[in-house]
Every structure is written in structure tokens, then in C-alpha cells.
């Protein structure tokens, strides 16, 4: 019997709206704090803020994978969201670059602990399609980012206390929306499990002892192969390049366009194409094809920058291709992980924390690699070298995504349905 008071669509939209609001706060502060830190200190310290943020996400997601309760309880998720907001707010009062990086680390810790829990609660909405859940989540994130980037264009950059006060408010609202939704989902899940236990007890009493023992054959949890996780890390290592690579490239080679151009262009592309492409993925049910297309988009983006390094039009086209790569890759990877959890004895929250762990490693390494590769290209007087290296690596990952990674994924499942 279904809990008639529970509305899965309403609670999913509570989460989406909360995520969109918080994403707006992230988009508001990120370009401002990176820009201001670069002016006051150096590009290294500006990159260290993003490095610290992603290092915190790595530590948080790793902790969540080891201790699921710490990242899965509704109060824990909301508390971690509040930790992120408070840590960010404190950055408005810090005068030292190392202190900014340290509090970025704390903010990332809260993010790394809370976001896998968010995905786990979305997956508890069994009445809703998984691919649609993740595509709408990505859509809400991008909607928030567009709003945040537009707000950042008129908020005075020197008013850091105002900027981070707005950020704190967005995270408080986000935490409250999540808490309301998670409590409702938890109550509904408890009601559903009670009914299942009641039905199971009736079925057990009517079954034979032989039938009862047959269910224990596949109790050992399966594990996703390391290469699958590493491919996720590598993708986001490349996809984060606009944050650093374009921010350094545009002022030097294409100053005729604003530095913010790749950010809002990428967000708009994802807003308009995320849901239609995700629906197409659901119809074909071949999510590995979409992972391969994601890497192909990265390759084309970097190859374009390699050939037309001084072209503003190439920067625009490259940013659009990078965003298409995320449109194809992100939700399909989420669905593959969710399906693996459903077909194995692996805890979904643990898998989502592992995904966040490797994604954060990728963005952490990518944020620093973007600056290092750019400096290397300038030192060797080869402006397109950094983009050429990224293009070659993307081609290699595209080849691996054709057969090797799918075969490892299917072998790990070992179930008759794991080919989906």
C-alpha cells in the first residue's frame, strides 16, 4: 500500500530548487574570489582556492564512503550544507591567502559529505525515473549557475562581505529545503519497508527451506572497477579546464571577449540540452555510448583550441563543445552507477560517495593542471601546447570508453541484466 500523503515529485522539486539556489551562490562567489585573490596575491594562490575546495570534497566524499551514516542522515546532510555555507561566509573576513585556501578546504568538506547524500535521497524516489532525476538535477544546477554568474556581473567585487552574506543565505535555504524533503522521503521509505517486511514474513512462512537458502548465493557485494572510477576522475579533470584554462587564456590571447563568456555559455547550453539528451539516452539505454560522446566533445573542444589558439570564435565554440561533453557524460554516469547499485549488494550511498570522491580528485587535479600546463606552454613559446596535450589525452580516454571500460563494468555486475 502506498503512502497517499507522500508526493515524490513535490519532494524532488524541493531538492532541485534548493540545489539551484545554492549553485547560484557558488557561481556568485567563485569568479569573484578567484579574481580578487589573483589580483592581491598571485595566480597560484587563486588556483589554490579551487584546489582546496576540491581537496575538501575528496576528503568529504571519502569519509562518506567509509561512514555512510555520517553523510546519509537528514540532519547530517543539512549540517554539512550549513558547514559549507559558514566556511564560505568566513572567507569574506580573511586577509591571508593560505587562510582562504584553508576555509575553502572546509567548505569542500561540507560539499563532499552532503552532495552524495543528496543523490542517495533522490534515488529513494523509486516512483520517478532515475535518468530523469539526474538530468533534472544537472538542469537545476546549471539554472542556478546562470543566475549566479549574472548576479556576479553587477555585484561590486570589492564588497566581499555582501557577496558572502548572499552565499550564506543561499546555503541556509538549501539546507532547509533538503531537510524538509529528506524527512518526508525517510518517513515514506520507513512506511514502505514496514509493508515489505510484513509481506516478506508472510511469503517466508509459505516458502520451503530450499527456497530460503537460494537467495544467499550473491550476497557478496560487487565492486565497480578502478578504471571506471578513474575515467570519471579524468573526465572532470578535463572538464574543469574552462575555470582555469580559459580564465588564463582569454586575457592573453583573446582579450576582445569577457572572461566570463565560457561560464555563462556553458551553463546555457546545458540548460537547453540536458533534459532532451538525457531522454534520448533513456530511449536507447546505451549510456556508455553517451560517455564516449562526452569524451569526443572534449577532444573536439581541445583540438579546436590547439589549431585556432588566437581566435575568439574558437574559444566560444570550444566552450560550447565542453558543455556538450558534460551534458552527455554526467547524467549517464549517474544512471550507470545507480543501476549497478540496484543489481548488486552495494550500498547506493557508498557508491555515490565514491563517485563524488573520484570526481573531486579530477577537478582538484584539473584546477592545478590547467595553470601548470598554461605556464608550460608559455615557457616553451607554444601557445597551443596545453590544449594539444589535453586533446591527445581525451582521444585516449575516448578509445578506452569504446570497449575496455564497458566490458569491465559489465564483468563487475556478472548479472543477467548487467548489460543495461
Amino acid at each position: 500500500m502506498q503512502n497517499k500523503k507522500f508526493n515524490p515529485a513535490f519532494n524532488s522539486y524541493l531538492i532541485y530548487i534548493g540545489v539551484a539556489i545554492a549553485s547560484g551562490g557558488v557561481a556568485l562567489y567563485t569568479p569573484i574570489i578567484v579574481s580578487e585573490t589573483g589580483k592581491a596575491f598571485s595566480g597560484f594562490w587563486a588556483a589554490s582556492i579551487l584546489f582546496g575546495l576540491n581537496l575538501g570534497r575528496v576528503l568529504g566524499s571519502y569519509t562518506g564512503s567509509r561512514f555512510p551514516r555520517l553523510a546519509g542522515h537528514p540532519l547530517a546532510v543539512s549540517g554539512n550544507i550549513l558547514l559549507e555555507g559558514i566556511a564560505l561566509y568566513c572567507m569574506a573576513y580573511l586577509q591571508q591567502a593560505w587562510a582562504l585556501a584553508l576555509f575553502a578546504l572546509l567548505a569542500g568538506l561540507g560539499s563532499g559529505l552532503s552532495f552524495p547524500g543528496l543523490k542517495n535521497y533522490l534515488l529513494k524516489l523509486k516512483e520517478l525515473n532515475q535518468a530523469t532525476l539526474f538530468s533534472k538535477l544537472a538542469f537545476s544546477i546549471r539554472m542556478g549557475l546562470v543566475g549566479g554568474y549574472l548576479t556576479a556581473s553587477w555585484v561590486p567585487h570589492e564588497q566581499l562581505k555582501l557577496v558572502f552574506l548572499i552565499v550564506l543565505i543561499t546555503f541556509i535555504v538549501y539546507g532547509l529545503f533538503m531537510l524538509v524533503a529528506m524527512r518526508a522521503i525517510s518517513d515514506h521509505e520507513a512506511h514502505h519497508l514496514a509493508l515489505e517486511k510484513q509481506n516478506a514474513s508472510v511469503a517466508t512462512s509459505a516458502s520451503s527451506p530450499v527456497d530460503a537458502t537460494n537467495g544467499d548465493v550473491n550476497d557478496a557485494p560487487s565492486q565497480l572497477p578502478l578504471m571506471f572510477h578513474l575515467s570519471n576522475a579524468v573526465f572532470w579533470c578535463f572538464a574543469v579546464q574552462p575555470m582555469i584554462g580559459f580564465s588564463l587564456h582569454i586575457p592573453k590571447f583573446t582579450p576582445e571577449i569577457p572572461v566570463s563568456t565560457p561560464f555563462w555559455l556553458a551553463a546555457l547550453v546545458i540548460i537547453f540540452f540536458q533534459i532532451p539528451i538525457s531522454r534520448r539516452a533513456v530511449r536507447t539505454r546505451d549510456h556508455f555510448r553517451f560517455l564516449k560522446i562526452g569524451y569526443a566533445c572534449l577532444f573536439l573542444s581541445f583540438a579546436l583550441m590547439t589549431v585556432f589558439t588566437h581566435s575568439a570564435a574558437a574559444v566560444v565554440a570550444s566552450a560550447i563543445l565542453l558543455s556538450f561533453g558534460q551534458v552527455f557524460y554526467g547524467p549517464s554516469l549517474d544512471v550507470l552507477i545507480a543501476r549497478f547499485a540496484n543489481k548488486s549488494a552495494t550500498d547506493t550511498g557508498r557508491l555515490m560517495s565514491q563517485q563524488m570522491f573520484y570526481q573531486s580528485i579530477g577537478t582538484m587535479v584539473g584546477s592545478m593542471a590547467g595553470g601548470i600546463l598554461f605556464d608550460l606552454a608559455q615557457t616553451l613559446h607554444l601557445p597551443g601546447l596545453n590544449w594539444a596535450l589535453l586533446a591527445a589525452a581525451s582521444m585516449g580516454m575516448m578509445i578506452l570508453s569504446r570497449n575496455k571500460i564497458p566490458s569491465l563494468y559489465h564483468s563487475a555486475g556478472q548479472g543477467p541484466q548487467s548489460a543495461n
Side-chain angles (χ1 to χ4, degrees), residues 96-257:
Q96 300 296 324
W98 64 265
L100 289 169
L102 177 62
F103 274 78
L105 175 73
L106 291 175
L109 182 66
S111 176
L113 284 168
S114 64
F115 204 70
L118 175 152
K119 288 185 175 180
N120 190 30
Y121 274 93
L122 275 178
L123 287 172
K124 293 178 185 291
L125 299 172
K126 303 294 185 181
E127 301 87 347
L128 303 179
N129 180 272
Q130 288 178 343
T132 302
L133 284 172
F134 288 125
S135 64
K136 288 184 177 179
L137 177 63
F139 178 83
S140 64
I141 291 173
R142 298 303 164 178
M143 283 291 292
L145 290 176
V146 169
Y149 289 137
L150 291 176
T151 304
S153 64
W154 60 264
V155 171
H157 287 201
E158 65 276 3
Q159 298 284 337
L160 287 182
K161 292 181 180 178
L162 173 61
V163 169
F164 283 101
L165 176 61
I166 297 173
V167 172
L168 176 61
I169 292 172
T170 64
F171 276 89
I172 291 174
V173 174
Y174 172 35
L176 290 175
F177 276 39
M178 278 296 301
L179 185 61
V180 172
M182 288 185 298
R183 282 188 176 277
I185 294 170
S186 296
D187 291 343
H188 175 66
E189 184 183 37
H191 175 76
H192 184 69
L193 289 175
L195 290 177
E196 280 190 344
K197 185 179 293 185
Q198 181 180 353
N199 294 334
S201 62
V202 174
T204 301
S205 62
S207 64
S208 65
V210 175
D211 293 335
T213 59
N214 288 339
D216 295 330
V217 174
N218 292 322
D219 280 348
S222 302
Q223 296 292 329
L224 280 168
L226 178 62
M227 186 175 289
F228 182 88
H229 288 304
L230 290 178
S231 70
N232 180 33
V234 172
F235 178 88
W236 292 107
C237 175
F238 296 163
V240 77
Q241 293 307 309
M243 187 68 71
I244 297 296
F246 282 147
S247 297
L248 297 172
H249 179 94
I250 290 174
K252 186 173 182 63
F253 296 107
T254 58
E256 62 269 27
I257 61 173

Side-chain angles (χ1 to χ4, degrees), residues 384-408:
L385 177 63
N386 53 328
W387 304 111
L389 293 173
L390 291 169
S394 298
M395 173 62 77
M397 291 306 301
M398 185 171 63
I399 294 171
L400 286 176
S401 298
R402 180 178 178 84
N403 292 313
K404 182 67 174 178
I405 295 174
S407 66
L408 289 173

Side-chain angles (χ1 to χ4, degrees), residues 7 37 115 168 175 299 313 366 370 415:
N7 185 335
T37 304
F115 204 70
L168 176 61
F299 166 73

Side-chain angles (χ1 to χ4, degrees), residues 277-293:
I277 289 178
S278 295
R279 286 175 178 169
R280 174 66 180 171
V282 172
R283 285 198 295 271
T284 62
R285 301 190 66 81
D286 188 359
H287 288 277
F288 278 106
R289 176 186 300 175
F290 282 72
L291 299 192
K292 185 173 63 176
I293 294 174

Side-chain angles (χ1 to χ4, degrees), residues 64-103:
S65 66
R66 298 282 294 179
F67 308 101
R69 289 181 179 272
L70 185 62
H73 191 279
L75 291 176
V77 175
S78 293
N80 290 323
I81 290 171
L82 190 60
L83 168 64
E84 183 176 3
I86 292 174
L88 292 174
Y89 180 66
C90 290
M91 292 172 70
Y93 296 89
L94 301 175
Q95 303 297 323
Q96 300 296 324
W98 64 265
L100 289 169
L102 177 62
F103 274 78

Side-chain angles (χ1 to χ4, degrees), residues 34-65:
V34 170
S35 173
E36 292 300 309
T37 304
K39 292 177 184 176
F41 299 98
S42 67
F44 170 80
W45 283 111
S48 72
I49 293 177
L50 297 179
F51 181 86
L53 185 67
N54 288 295
L55 176 59
R57 287 172 178 165
V58 169
L59 296 175
S61 53
Y62 175 78
T63 303
S65 66

Side-chain angles (χ1 to χ4, degrees), residues 334-411:
D334 285 334
V335 172
L336 284 169
I337 290 176
R339 287 180 179 175
F340 185 86
N342 290 339
K343 296 167 187 175
S344 68
T346 311
D347 177 71
T348 305
R350 185 184 299 274
L351 275 179
M352 289 300 174
S353 290
Q354 288 177 347
Q355 178 201 6
M356 183 73 175
F357 174 78
Y358 285 97
Q359 180 175 326
S360 298
I361 285 180
T363 52
M364 178 182 68
V365 173
S367 61
M368 293 301 290
I372 293 172
L373 290 176
F374 182 84
D375 290 342
L376 175 65
Q378 307 319 303
T379 301
L380 299 177
H381 304 288
L382 297 171
L385 177 63
N386 53 328
W387 304 111
L389 293 173
L390 291 169
S394 298
M395 173 62 77
M397 291 306 301
M398 185 171 63
I399 294 171
L400 286 176
S401 298
R402 180 178 178 84
N403 292 313
K404 182 67 174 178
I405 295 174
S407 66
L408 289 173
Y409 173 88
H410 296 323
S411 299

